[in-house]
Amino acid sequence: MDHRPRLYLCTAFLCGVLLTLGFKDFYPDLERRFRRRRTPINSIAGAGLASKDKIDLEDLTRTHGKDKIANVEVAEGIEACVGNTPLFRIKSLSEETGCEILGKAEFLNGAGGSPKDRVALNMIKTAEEQGLLTPHSGDTIYEGTVGSTGISLATICRARGYLAHICMPSDQATEKSELLLKLGAVVDRVPPAPIIDPMHFVNRARNLAADHTADPTRPGRGYFADQFENQVNWQAHLEGTGPEIFHQCGGRIDAFVAGAGTGGTIAGVARLLKPKLPDLRVVLADPQGSGLFNRIKNGVMFDTLEKEGTRRRSQVDTIVEGIGINRITANFEAGRELIDDAFKVTDEEALAMARWLAEKDGIFVGSSSAVNCVAATKLARQLGPGNRIVTILCDSGTRHLSKFWDRAGNVGGITDSKLDEMISL
């Protein structure tokens, strides 16, 4: 019997299997070549590519056992958390006035939680460069302050190898001195006194620093930071706060509003912004009892509350802490000629604004921030809708619980406050 037909059939079958397996690997390449010849080279996908160009594709869905993470610079110490604070729209005030009122969130500075972080860091760095301070040598920094500068100094002193000795008026909120003690600072709470009194908190700090340096039995030196007259104060804002505001606003700002204690913030920011924006209005926010309002308006330091027999305390007669003063400082004078106008803010207006911001925006700030926002609102009413106004939110209300916020009271369930009823426009 002839078996050749069966042999031919088996051979054909095997050849078919082998051909199929080979074509399976060859066909995709053939298909790609065919599609490439039919696709115009100037299509969106192939724009700018010649047919001979080679494209290397990377499968980003596979990590081959290792996560691909971009290199991120790690900050060095708490000092690196100072500056670059957010600027945000204060919604309620913007909607009420028709202006865009922006708050520079200086309470988010990462060391002491206020714009004084910038000043403290700049003063210490400058003193180090001048050979006036040496880390871990026993050097002690002395300062007279109502609180915020002291807290910033105490924090950065610990970070850079120094001790801090803070002198402050005894009528300031107690939580400030308690925080200073927790940070390891020595705290002198002295009775409020005129600047001519040796026991004024600034004079006491200066004298203690000199005594320390002159005492051979004490380690290190005493360095008096002198925030009111040390001009690296305003320079910190010229180099930091001012440029940040300019860039965050894209160079479009109609007015800048700030209070003044040492005067460093308003002077430094004004000196940066005014040359860039000649039409910018720089406006001082001044609490009751302070003489700076009259310094801007009339060229003299005087307030009606300074009349004989009217003063209740030896400093500025206000519940507000951190801004307001009745003497000329080198830092304020550095920018005084650039200040276009000033608004006086009463204690009641500041208290009402603090409650308003908490009620309407969930913003819980201290007394100086409230004063700034009152002045920004008054200016917005004066300028009319469509203007962009920047102000400073200095510190958190948590530093003002025992005094300012104790008088302001709880916001409670109130949701229907009227701005025009709270502020004298």
Side-chain angles (χ1 to χ4, degrees):
M1 184 175 181
D2 190 358
H3 296 287
R4 282 180 293 179
R6 186 176 298 177
L7 179 61
Y8 294 153
L9 182 62
C10 291
T11 302
F13 177 76
L14 289 174
C15 289
V17 170
L18 292 174
L19 183 62
T20 300
L21 291 174
F23 189 72
K24 178 177 72 68
D25 292 331
F26 172 73
Y27 176 75
D29 184 63
L30 183 64
E31 183 181 26
R32 282 194 298 269
R33 290 172 181 268
F34 177 73
R35 288 182 176 178
R36 185 180 299 169
R37 294 188 63 180
R38 295 191 61 184
T39 302
I41 198 66
N42 61 351
S43 67
I44 293 176
L49 299 177
S51 59
K52 63 181 179 180
D53 290 338
K54 180 181 179 182
I55 303 175
D56 293 324
L57 301 180
E58 182 180 1
D59 185 356
L60 297 178
T61 64
R62 298 181 181 181
T63 61
H64 305 290
K66 293 183 179 180
D67 292 334
K68 294 189 176 181
I69 301 175
N71 290 328
V72 178
E73 183 179 351
V74 177
E76 184 69 22
I78 195 69
E79 307 99 307
C81 300
V82 176
N84 295 310
T85 56
L87 182 74
F88 67 93
R89 181 174 179 268
I90 303 176
K91 294 185 291 185
S92 68
L93 297 182
S94 299
E95 291 164 3
E96 285 283 330
T97 62
C99 288
E100 192 175 27
I101 298 182
L102 308 179
K104 179 72 167 157
E106 287 293 277
F107 59 86
L108 292 179
N109 275 297
S114 81
K116 297 301 185 181
D117 281 3
R118 301 175 187 267
V119 177
L121 183 58
N122 202 32
M123 290 193 295
I124 291 174
K125 282 184 173 181
T126 302
E128 290 174 342
E129 292 168 0
Q130 296 172 346
L132 301 175
L133 286 172
T134 304
H136 307 291
S137 65
D139 284 354
T140 299
I141 297 176
Y142 293 81
E143 183 60 294
T145 167
V146 297
S148 290
T149 303
I151 293 167
S152 295
L153 279 171
T155 305
I156 298 173
C157 276
R158 285 292 171 174
R160 297 182 76 87
Y162 303 106
L163 300 174
H165 189 127
I166 306 301
C167 301
M168 62 188 301
S170 58
D171 61 350
Q172 301 301 290
T174 57
E175 49 266 39
K176 294 180 181 180
S177 58
E178 290 172 359
L179 178 55
L180 284 166
L181 290 171
K182 296 295 187 292
L183 290 168
V186 176
V187 181
D188 274 350
R189 290 178 64 93
V190 299
I195 189 63
I196 59 173
D197 191 324
M199 286 301 294
H200 183 278
F201 64 98
V202 172
N203 295 333
R204 179 162 174 77
R206 179 188 293 108
N207 295 334
L208 287 171
D211 291 344
H212 183 156
T213 301
D215 188 348
T217 65
R218 299 185 65 180
R221 296 163 292 180
Y223 173 73
F224 176 49
D226 198 13
Q227 61 166 327
F228 289 92
E229 308 302 327
N230 189 338
Q231 296 197 50
V232 302
N233 179 338
W234 67 260
Q235 290 165 7
H237 298 290
L238 174 74
E239 297 167 0
T241 319
E244 288 173 26
I245 291 172
F246 183 79
H247 290 298
Q248 287 169 325
C249 289
R252 192 179 76 79
I253 315 166
D254 297 298
F256 175 70
V257 178
T262 65
T265 301
I266 195 168
V269 173
R271 289 181 68 136
L272 185 286
L273 293 181
K274 273 282 194 176
K276 297 177 180 293
L277 303 167
D279 295 330
L280 175 80
R281 289 179 61 80
V282 176
V283 178
L284 173 74
D286 207 33
Q288 68 178 53
S290 172
L292 295 179
F293 172 84
N294 283 292
R295 179 66 170 166
I296 298 302
K297 287 288 195 179
N298 307 310
V300 296
M301 292 288 290
F302 177 76
D303 187 89
T304 55
L305 292 177
E306 295 295 291
K307 291 188 297 184
E308 186 177 355
T310 63
R311 300 187 71 178
R312 294 172 292 172
R313 60 192 295 267
S314 298
Q315 279 187 281
V316 181
D317 200 357
T318 178
I319 195 173
V320 174
E321 297 180 358
I323 58 174
I325 196 170
N326 280 307
R327 70 178 191 275
I328 301 299
T329 67
N331 280 286
F332 184 77
E333 286 297 292
R336 179 177 59 84
E337 293 185 355
L338 300 175
I339 301 175
D340 300 293
D341 203 356
F343 286 102
K344 179 68 72 177
V345 178
T346 67
D347 282 357
E348 291 307 316
E349 287 175 323
L351 291 163
M353 177 57 74
R355 290 192 298 265
W356 170 276
L357 292 172
E359 173 191 336
K360 303 294 185 181
D361 298 277
I363 301 172
F364 187 61
V365 291
S367 54
S368 57
S369 302
V371 170
N372 287 344
C373 288
V374 171
T377 301
K378 291 184 176 186
L379 179 62
R381 296 292 198 206
Q382 184 183 94
L383 295 179
N387 288 278
R388 174 181 279 180
I389 301 169
V390 176
T391 193
I392 302 292
L393 302 180
C394 306
D395 62 2
S396 167
T398 57
R399 290 187 184 169
H400 302 261
L401 295 175
S402 65
K403 187 179 175 184
F404 180 77
W405 270 99
D406 182 61
R407 182 165 160 185
N410 298 330
V411 173
I414 298 174
T415 59
D416 58 353
S417 298
K418 305 297 181 185
L419 189 62
D420 291 347
E421 296 175 0
M422 297 158 47
I423 296 175
S424 175
L425 300 174

